[in-house]
Every structure is written in C-alpha cells, then in structure tokens.
Amino acid sequence: MNAKQTIEAGKAVLGIEFGSTRIKAVLIDQENNPIAQGSHTWENQLVDGLWTYSTEAIWYGLQDCYAQLRKNVLEQYETEIETLAAIGVSAMMHGYMAFKGNDILVPFRTWRNTNTGKAAAELSQLFNYNIPLRWSISHLYQAILDNEEHVGDIEFLTTLAGYIHWQITGQKVLGVGDASGMIPVDPATKTYDATMVEKFNKLIEPKGFSWTLLDILPKSLNAGENAGYLTQEGAQRLDVSGHLKAGIPVCPPEGDAGTGMVATNAVKQRTGNVSAGTSSFSMIVLEKELSKPYEMIDMVTTPDGSLVAMVHCNNCTSDINAWVKIFKEFMELMNMPVDMNALYTNLFNVATKGTPDCGGVLSYNYVSGEPVTGLADGRPLFVRSANDKFNLANFMRAHLYGAIGVLKIGNDILLKEEKVQVDRITGHGGYFTTKGVGQQMLAAALNSPISVMETAGEGGAWGIALLASYEINNPKKLSLADWLDEVVFAGNAGEEIKPNPEDVAGFNAYIENYKRGLAIEQAAVDNKK
C-alpha cells in the first residue's frame, strides 16, 4: 500500500508524545515509516512556586496537535483519518498527578520541580535505593510531609502519559518504563518492588489514610500487552472534528526515556543511548544490578522491563546556543549575511581543530543547577588562565566538552567503577546535528564508539508509535529488542565513530580540570544574585 491507501484502510499507527516544549504526533505506515506529523508548542507555568501545565493546556495542546496532523494528512493525501490500527501516548516522565474521581486535586507537578529534597533523601535511605527528586513517590511523600490536605482524598496517582491514556481508554495503566519512574520496579516481576511498597505503606501507616500505595497506583504493563481501546469519549476528545472512530487499540503509555530507547534501538542489554539537547541524559541497559546505589544514577527500566542506569543532566546545549547568538550579533554588526545553519556547522567543525584538552580553558554550561555535581543553582561560566591556549578552536571545543562534562562524570561511575559492558551507544538530539562532531566529542568522553542514525531525529513520538505497532504487528511474537533489531531497523546501526586515544586522554585531562574548577562555579552561585 502507498501512504494514502494505508490511511484509508485504517492501517496507519499514531504516536503522540508530550515533551516539555512541544507536543508531537507522528503517523507511521505498516513498515514503520513516518508518513505524516503534527505538533503544538506549549510552555509550563510557575504557579504557587511549582512548575505546572494546566489540564486545559494539556487537552488544548493534544487537540491542536492532532488537528495539525489531520491537516497534514489532508494536504498530502487528500483524505481523512477515520480509524487507525493502533495508538500510543507518551510524555515527559515522573511528576505528580493526583485525582479523586476525574477531578485533579492539585495542579500537575512536573519533573522540573525540586521541592521534594527531604522526601527523596528519606526514601532513598528507607529503600537503600536512589530515589530522585522528580519521581512520583518523592512528590507524594513530600506532600505527606507537608501535611497537604488533599493527600487523604487521593484515589488515583499517575503520570502525564498515564493520565491521557486513562482519559481516552478508561484504563488506569502504565508501561513498565514509565511506572519505574513512580516507584522502583522489580526487574524480575516487572511491576512495583513489593518490598519498597510494603516499607512505604508502613512508613505512612500512622497517618491513617484510607488507601495503601497499590490502591492508587496504575497497573504496570509490559510492551506488547493489551492496554485497552479508544472509547467514544476518548475519540471525541482527541479529534474534535468527529471523524475518528472508537475501538482502536492503545498500547501501554510510556515515558520519554523509554520512547527514546525505542527510537534509537537501545532496548537490548549492553546497548545505550545518549539524548543531548537542551538537557541531556544517558540510558545504559544493564545485564545485572549495580553493586550499590549512587545518588547521581537513576535506575529505571526499558519498556519491556530490563534494568536501565540513567544519568540525567539538567543542562546541555543552551550555553552553546547563547554563544552562537553572540557570533551572530557580531556578523550583523559587520553587515555580514547570517546563515544560522552554516554558523553552527562552522563553529562545531572548528572545535575539531582544537587541542585535545582544550588548551586548559573550561566551560560550565550551568544555566540551571546540576544535581550530579551538587550545584543547587547555576551560573554559565567560561574560565581561563593567562597561560592557557585561548583561540576559537579551543573556545568551541571547551563548550562542546562542557556540554557533556556532567554526563561523563556520571558515566565514569558506570563504565570505570562498575565495569558496565556496552556494545553500542547511539546518540540523538541537537548536539549531534553537525555531522561527526558531537559523535567525536562523546566518543572521547565515554571512551566508547558512538553511532548516530538518521531515524533518531524522528524522536519519541516515533518511538511510541513503534511501541503501538509492536502490539499489533508482531505475528512471530518476537521480544521487543528482537523486533526492533529484525523488523524496524533491520541491521541498520547508523554511522559509527570510534574514540581517538588522543581525544580520550585530552577529555580525561579536561574533566580533571573541570572537577577542580567546580569550586569556581560554586563561588559564582554563592556570590551573584
């Protein structure tokens, strides 16, 4: 079938992902190729000191995103979307959405909020397991510690992806990867860790709530499991034009980390991926548990329940973008034509001509705080001494190193201390846009080959569409990892760059200077408004 026939036959699959700045929808064909897309831009709001998106903004954004997809289909293929083979919904992980009936009890608290420090620290000690600030259990326990009145009324607690899925299917479920960002999941059972659930229930027992933890959490489902069907009400909420029919299977809702793993074919053990854009994170699929918990490493799972070590960094390319804007202003001052693509490409490429250790200069890209290095707040800094080799190549190389410096510090624990074995790491995101440059820098940072695939640019909406396709287009009953390998990617591992020993040694020297210089960054935080 061609794309139009696929859509008219109801064989297309829809994936929708709620990112922090954009909601994106991707329609794929039976060969899992994108054939249409739509998007909606949105922003979080700071309400009563907490970052949130209103439920009105969530539904308006979803409906506008779908309307843009429908418009794209009409323009390209002169046809309507009447039905689909499957649908999947994913969203930024973690956060806190608490309900009594269909009513949200407090505004959605996103992953970005850091008011949960006391709760996360106490739970990490109780569970002997690193519990990050942004996880749902941290938000719940912090609300309990703060004696918030709504807690006793909770009937259901979920994530953003789980909320949308519930509202369009009636099913209170989550994909296991997203569930692992609520409270840790046991890789053996692929559901919430029973020992930790029991410890939490005992911890809050004196409060006398009418619920225990499993009463209010969504059911955890594996990739490929049935997660319900689009209801009539759900179809109307998704497509306000009224064309979309009910009865479409909807796969388990997932978090953006899981869809990133799927989109980069990094679900199999001993594979990993690095997402590097406004923020960055690495995901390494483990063969076994780590020897002990680490505050800078989050433990989550793949969409099919394998254990994953995640290093999450709040900052990545924002400071690079700010410096490129300065170069743009200089060019405008000199009445020179500005081509932003060419400007980025040339500045990234010149970085490859810098000395491997950046000549001693340092860049701290801390637009905001960075938990991995213990900074509660951030100040972007460029640091050099009088004797450093200060030129454009080293300046740009230092910024490219600095953008992934925190990522290296976290991954050194995995790769050097824990001796985690990785066969393939795939990079995706804006850091890798200029061909080969970001790959070279990351290969040096991790001392590991780095691959980049053209399809990685399709992002998480494509990833959740693949998970929806996996549920219905897997006649051989392959595992998710094998299905991705054999069906979707069919041997395509992308273009690989191996680490250069001189670059590796240079990055190691840079990162030692970087760690010593963190005191400078701390002083800047302490002494500037």
Side-chain angles (χ1 to χ4, degrees):
M1 293 185 183
N2 61 31
K4 181 176 181 178
Q5 291 168 332
T6 298
I7 295 166
E8 291 179 339
K11 299 294 186 183
V13 173
L14 172 63
I16 301 169
E17 181 155 282
F18 287 73
S20 56
T21 58
R22 191 166 67 133
I23 304 168
K24 185 177 179 182
V26 170
L27 204 63
I28 64 174
D29 62 18
Q30 290 169 287
E31 284 72 48
N32 300 302
N33 300 308
I35 54 176
Q37 64 177 23
S39 66
H40 170 84
T41 301
W42 69 337
E43 288 183 31
N44 53 192
Q45 306 295 322
L46 190 62
V47 178
D48 297 328
L50 293 170
W51 292 104
T52 187
Y53 302 86
S54 69
T55 52
E56 293 80 8
I58 291 168
W59 288 106
Y60 175 76
L62 176 63
Q63 290 162 0
D64 183 56
C65 179
Y66 185 86
Q68 297 304 318
L69 172 76
R70 179 173 162 260
K71 180 182 177 185
N72 187 242
V73 167
L74 281 167
E75 289 175 348
Q76 285 194 85
Y77 309 115
E78 298 180 336
T79 193
E80 276 284 359
I81 305 170
E82 300 285 350
T83 189
L84 296 160
I87 298 173
V89 177
S90 66
M92 53 193 126
M93 286 179 72
H94 322 311
Y96 182 81
M97 298 191 84
F99 295 89
K100 182 177 183 180
N102 277 312
D103 297 326
I104 194 164
L105 293 168
V106 290
F108 168 37
R109 296 171 182 178
T110 78
W111 63 272
R112 190 177 180 187
N113 291 296
T114 56
N115 63 307
T116 55
K118 189 174 192 300
E122 289 188 16
L123 292 175
S124 295
Q125 186 172 14
L126 178 69
F127 297 155
N128 191 30
Y129 201 95
N130 180 42
I131 305 297
L133 275 66
R134 61 187 184 279
W135 281 18
S136 303
I137 196 70
S138 296
H139 285 277
L140 174 61
Y141 189 47
Q142 190 65 51
I144 293 170
L145 291 176
D146 293 341
N147 294 309
E148 293 194 41
E149 290 183 9
H150 77 272
V151 176
D153 295 327
I154 297 174
E155 294 176 354
F156 183 45
L157 180 67
T158 191
T159 65
L160 178 55
Y163 167 62
I164 298 294
H165 184 93
W166 167 43
Q167 291 293 302
I168 66 173
T169 67
Q171 301 299 308
K172 295 180 177 180
V173 299
L174 268 189
V176 63
D178 206 8
S180 70
M182 296 198 79
I183 186 171
V185 160
D186 181 344
T189 63
K190 303 191 190 306
T191 189
Y192 307 109
D193 187 287
T195 302
M196 296 186 199
V197 168
E198 185 180 352
K199 284 183 177 180
F200 184 81
N201 285 334
K202 191 172 181 180
L203 176 67
I204 65 168
E205 192 174 5
K207 295 289 184 179
F209 298 130
S210 61
W211 52 263
T212 58
L213 195 55
L214 293 185
D215 295 333
I216 62 173
L217 290 181
K219 182 182 179 183
S220 173
L221 295 178
N222 228 20
E225 288 193 77
N226 180 276
Y229 300 87
L230 186 68
T231 61
Q232 187 61 49
E233 182 188 4
Q236 291 169 349
R237 295 195 79 174
L238 184 57
D239 179 15
V240 294
S241 75
H243 286 86
L244 190 64
K245 294 180 173 62
I248 301 165
V250 186
C251 75
E254 266 298 347
D256 52 357
T259 58
M261 286 186 269
V262 171
T264 54
N265 192 20
V267 170
K268 189 170 284 188
Q269 291 180 357
R270 296 174 64 110
T271 66
N273 79 89
V274 169
S275 172
T278 305
S279 62
S280 70
F281 57 83
S282 65
M283 313 284 290
I284 307 295
V285 189
L286 303 177
E287 296 177 281
K288 61 180 181 179
E289 295 258 12
L290 299 180
S291 65
K292 62 180 181 179
Y294 295 91
E295 189 175 348
M296 60 185 67
I297 297 172
D298 304 348
M299 304 304 296
V300 292
T301 78
T302 63
D304 60 350
S306 290
L307 200 62
V308 176
M310 178 182 191
V311 177
H312 184 277
C313 312
N314 286 354
N315 303 282
C316 188
T317 59
S318 294
D319 195 38
I320 294 174
N321 295 338
W323 280 105
V324 172
K325 185 181 177 185
I326 292 293
F327 286 108
K328 171 179 176 283
E329 289 181 12
F330 169 76
M331 292 177 72
E332 289 170 342
L333 182 67
M334 300 297 291
N335 294 316
M336 300 167 68
V338 179
D339 178 333
M340 291 304 292
N341 285 334
L343 183 56
Y344 270 100
T345 299
N346 288 330
L347 287 172
F348 269 55
N349 279 325
V350 78
T352 65
K353 297 176 171 55
T355 53
D357 67 350
C358 304
V361 299
L362 292 170
S363 167
Y364 295 94
N365 64 336
Y366 294 15
V367 174
S368 64
E370 199 57 81
V372 171
T373 47
L375 273 294
D377 201 356
R379 300 288 181 269
L381 291 178
F382 182 78
V383 181
R384 67 186 181 99
S385 67
N387 295 324
D388 289 338
K389 297 174 184 175
F390 181 47
N391 54 40
L392 182 61
N394 284 339
F395 175 84
M396 284 306 302
R397 193 178 186 105
H399 281 295
L400 288 173
Y401 275 14
I404 54 173
V406 177
L407 199 70
K408 175 178 172 56
I409 291 170
N411 277 279
D412 276 353
I413 292 172
L414 296 174
L415 303 177
K416 293 182 178 180
E417 293 183 32
E418 290 283 338
K419 310 295 184 189
V420 169
Q421 298 298 307
V422 187
D423 297 328
R424 185 184 76 245
I425 297 177
T426 304
H428 59 117
Y431 185 81
F432 304 101
T433 301
T434 301
K435 187 176 175 64
V437 179
Q439 276 177 276
Q440 178 185 333
M441 303 302 168
L442 187 62
L446 303 186
N447 192 18
S448 172
I450 303 297
S451 298
V452 170
M453 294 186 283
E454 289 182 22
T455 49
E458 300 293 345
W462 184 55
I464 190 64
L466 291 178
L467 286 172
S469 179
Y470 174 65
E471 183 178 333
I472 60 159
N473 294 322
N474 184 23
K476 295 182 181 179
K477 303 300 179 186
L478 297 171
S479 69
L480 177 61
D482 287 343
W483 184 78
L484 291 170
D485 262 350
E486 297 174 23
V487 177
V488 178
F489 293 92
N492 175 22
E495 293 189 28
E496 182 183 87
I497 288 182
K498 290 182 168 60
N500 178 309
E502 288 185 11
D503 288 345
V504 172
F507 207 120
N508 286 335
Y510 175 90
I511 210 67
E512 291 307 313
N513 285 336
Y514 181 98
K515 286 188 281 191
R516 285 192 293 271
L518 284 169
I520 307 168
E521 174 69 23
Q522 185 65 63
V525 170
D526 292 342
N527 293 285
K528 184 184 175 188
K529 289 184 181 180

